[in-house]
Amino acid sequence: MLHNLENDSIFTPEQVLENRGRVAIFIDGSNLFYAALQLGIEIDYTKLLCRLTGGSRLLRSFFYTGVDRTNEKQQGFLLWMRRNGYRVIAKDLVQLPDGSKKANLDVEIAVDMMALVDSYDTAVLVSGDGDLAYAVNSVSYRGVRVEVVSLRSMTSDSLINVSDRYIDLEAIKEEIQKTPRQSYPYRPLSGIGFLEDPRTSDGHLEIQE
């Protein structure tokens, strides 16, 4: 018989938060973007940071993304992120034989999780990429609690199996979404036409498909 680990926990939600200690957040920007597309929501990155921190002491929040450095509007969005609580780790997009562009930042996420392992008590990983399961397992053996946050349909079972807590983005989408509109604040690809100045009061961009 399968059990809902969240409901069967011997700790109350308040006790879970109290036991988190110092928190480090690692966000796979591309993975989160496509999860938001699946959910049909626009991420409010200020709300997201507050939700993931959950009142605990934040060490640092990392946002990993592929970038087109010639896209000034995208650079403006990332500048807003840097000035509003995020440490942005950017990697140039590489064009693939089929014409698409991609930047894989799994190695950067894994290295940062390991390098800082003695500085935090809880890691919050926003990604469903199974390639990160080994890194998650490794930091767990160092005494770190790992929370994985991602969309269930885009999450590897291997990643959930080595985490201490799994949170489906579907369950918290109301808490992290911006006022619903047919636009999205971030794309991990180049060649996108942005419609607004990136440094708006709430730090969001509208982009044209």
Side-chain angles (χ1 to χ4, degrees):
M1 182 177 178
L2 295 177
H3 293 280
N4 186 316
L5 297 180
E6 201 69 25
N7 292 335
D8 290 347
S9 174
I10 61 174
F11 299 107
T12 66
E14 292 76 17
Q15 287 173 322
V16 169
L17 291 178
E18 288 175 1
N19 293 331
R20 293 173 89 208
R22 183 175 256 196
V23 173
I25 300 171
F26 304 88
I27 301 174
D28 180 339
S30 178
N31 196 277
L32 176 60
F33 170 74
Y34 287 115
L37 274 183
Q38 292 266 354
L39 289 171
I41 67 172
E42 183 177 353
I43 299 292
D44 183 316
Y45 287 93
T46 299
K47 289 181 180 178
L48 177 67
L49 186 57
C50 291
R51 178 59 177 81
L52 297 180
T53 304
S56 299
R57 186 181 178 190
L58 178 64
L59 171 67
R60 191 157 290 155
S61 179
F62 296 94
F63 184 81
Y64 301 83
T65 181
V67 296
D68 176 359
R69 297 187 186 279
T70 65
N71 189 323
E72 294 183 3
K73 298 297 185 181
Q74 186 187 45
Q75 293 299 314
F77 166 69
L78 296 180
L79 177 62
W80 182 92
M81 292 286 281
R82 290 185 178 98
R83 292 179 175 178
N84 287 272
Y86 292 92
R87 177 67 61 87
V88 176
I89 291 84
K91 189 174 184 178
D92 290 340
L93 292 163
V94 175
Q95 185 157 344
L96 303 178
D98 63 1
S100 63
K101 293 185 178 182
K102 185 178 180 180
N104 192 319
L105 286 103
D106 290 347
V107 172
E108 285 79 359
I109 295 173
V111 168
D112 286 346
M113 289 182 75
M114 291 301 300
L116 293 169
V117 71
D118 293 325
S119 300
Y120 61 88
D121 305 295
T122 298
V124 180
L125 174 63
V126 182
S127 179
D129 194 338
D131 290 341
L132 293 168
Y134 189 83
V136 167
N137 203 37
S138 296
V139 298
S140 294
Y141 274 108
R142 297 287 298 272
V144 169
R145 171 187 170 86
V146 181
E147 301 175 4
V148 170
V149 183
S150 56
L151 187 61
R152 185 62 186 92
S153 61
M154 295 175 57
T155 307
S156 168
D157 287 340
S158 62
L159 191 57
I160 294 177
N161 292 341
V162 294
S163 68
D164 296 289
R165 185 187 188 200
Y166 171 72
I167 300 171
D168 190 342
L169 281 170
E170 175 80 43
I172 64 170
K173 67 178 184 179
E174 302 295 334
E175 301 174 60
I176 63 172
Q177 70 176 341
K178 200 185 172 194
T179 303
R181 290 186 297 187
Q182 297 303 311
S183 60
Y184 294 88
Y186 163 78
R187 263 196 192 282
L189 304 177
S190 61
I192 304 300
F194 288 91
L195 303 179
E196 289 184 318
D197 185 273
R199 287 161 291 234
T200 56
S201 60
D202 58 2
H204 294 278
L205 297 175
E206 290 185 1
I207 61 177
Q208 183 175 350
E209 293 289 343

